């Protein structure tokens, strides 16, 4: 029997049942096809009450030894933080909105930025940059969908992937092992990318 693995899939689309949501489901199928002892939780951020980070910096400046510092805001991030703590692997999906991640994905990332990280104190390196509070290592894959721009022009229309990759590395100690850009989805349809998403999920195992 495989070692137990907790996978958390996070969907940053404002639309359920559409391209990003469907491709994240395919990636989940890929994970579960290759791992028999795998618990998957899927979260559509649109279903959660997530307030904007207010830049009070209480979490950043917290000296806690816990893997997550307390945020001043009481909302559904309390539950999502518990899911993140349990997770061994992550699937993150977002549509491209104006070349970037969606506002809800961005709001979520801002909220984990300093709760799961503390400022780097080593003066020889970039002092003040976020360092994960926990040593727990995670793996991640990222799925980005875009309506019009095809994959060949990804470089001009995908600031979402580096943003997500950097944030989950610095806050959640998560290594992004691969990502996919499902471009021109308005014309190609999500089906065009099913195999790619499935295989991406398999890579997490
Ligand atoms: C506000 C907004 C901005 C968008 N910006 C872009 C863009 O810069 N490039 C692009 O190709 N598609 C853009 N799109 C289209 C979405 O990326 C596309 O519809 C995507 O497949 C939506 O994902 P979903 O089906 O999971 O909702 C934008 C859509 C919205 C609503």
């Amino acid at each position: 029997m495989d070692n137990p693995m907790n996978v958390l899939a996070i969907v940053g689309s404002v639309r359920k049942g559409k391209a990003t949501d469907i491709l994240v489901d395919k990636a989940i199928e890929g994970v579960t096809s290759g791992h028999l002892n795998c618990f998957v939780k899927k979260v559509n951020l649109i279903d959660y009450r997530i307030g904007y980070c207010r830049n009070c910096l209480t979490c950043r400046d917290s000296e806690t030894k816990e893997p997550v510092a307390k945020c001043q805001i009481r909302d559904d991030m309390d539950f999502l933080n518990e899911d993140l703590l349990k997770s061994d692997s992550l699937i993150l999906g977002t549509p491209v909105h104006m070349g970037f991640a969606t506002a809800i994905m961005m709001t979520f990332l801002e909220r984990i930025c300093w709760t799961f990280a503390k400022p780097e104190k080593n003066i020889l390196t970039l002092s003040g940059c976020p360092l994960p509070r926990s040593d727990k290592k995670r793996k991640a894959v990222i799925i980005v969908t875009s309506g019009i721009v095809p994959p060949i022009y990804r470089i001009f229309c995908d600031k979402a992937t580096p943003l997500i990759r950097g944030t989950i590395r610095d806050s959640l100690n998560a290594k992004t092992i691969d990502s996919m850009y499902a471009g021109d989805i308005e014309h190609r349809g999500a089906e065009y990318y099913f195999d790619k998403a499935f295989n991406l999920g398999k890579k997490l195992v």
Side-chain angles (χ1 to χ4, degrees), residues 13 15 18-20 95-99 145-149 157 185:
S13 172
R15 304 192 301 178
K18 297 292 185 180
T20 315
V96 160
H97 279 190
M98 289 126 84
T145 65
S146 90
I148 305 156
V149 180
C157 188
I185 212 143

Side-chain angles (χ1 to χ4, degrees), residues 62-101:
S62 166
E63 296 286 346
T64 182
K65 298 279 177 266
E66 296 296 317
V68 58
K70 191 101 176 148
C71 174
Q72 293 290 84
I73 305 170
R74 296 278 64 74
D75 61 10
D76 290 343
M77 280 307 294
D78 290 340
F79 308 116
L80 292 176
N81 286 347
E82 290 303 314
D83 293 332
L84 286 164
L85 283 173
K86 274 188 233 149
S87 69
D88 304 302
S89 297
L90 300 163
I91 301 169
L92 289 108
T94 184
V96 160
H97 279 190
M98 289 126 84
F100 219 70

Side-chain angles (χ1 to χ4, degrees), residues 11 13 15-29 42 44 143 145 190-191 193-194 197-198:
V11 182
S13 172
R15 304 192 301 178
K16 287 167 85 175
K18 297 292 185 180
T20 315
D21 200 20
I22 292 171
L23 291 176
V24 167
D25 283 342
K26 280 288 154 196
I28 291 171
E29 278 179 32
K42 183 178 156 200
N44 288 83
I143 297 173
T145 65
E191 312 74 46
Y193 293 103
F194 278 1
F198 182 87

Side-chain angles (χ1 to χ4, degrees), residues 9 15-16 26 66 83-84 91 93 95 99 117 121 135 147 163 166 171 173 178 190 192 194 196 199 203:
R15 304 192 301 178
K16 287 167 85 175
K26 280 288 154 196
E66 296 296 317
D83 293 332
L84 286 164
I91 301 169
K121 292 228 171 87
D135 291 337
L163 168 83
S171 297
N173 225 350
D178 206 353
Y192 185 89
F194 278 1
K196 210 164 185 182
N199 289 326
K203 288 188 180 172

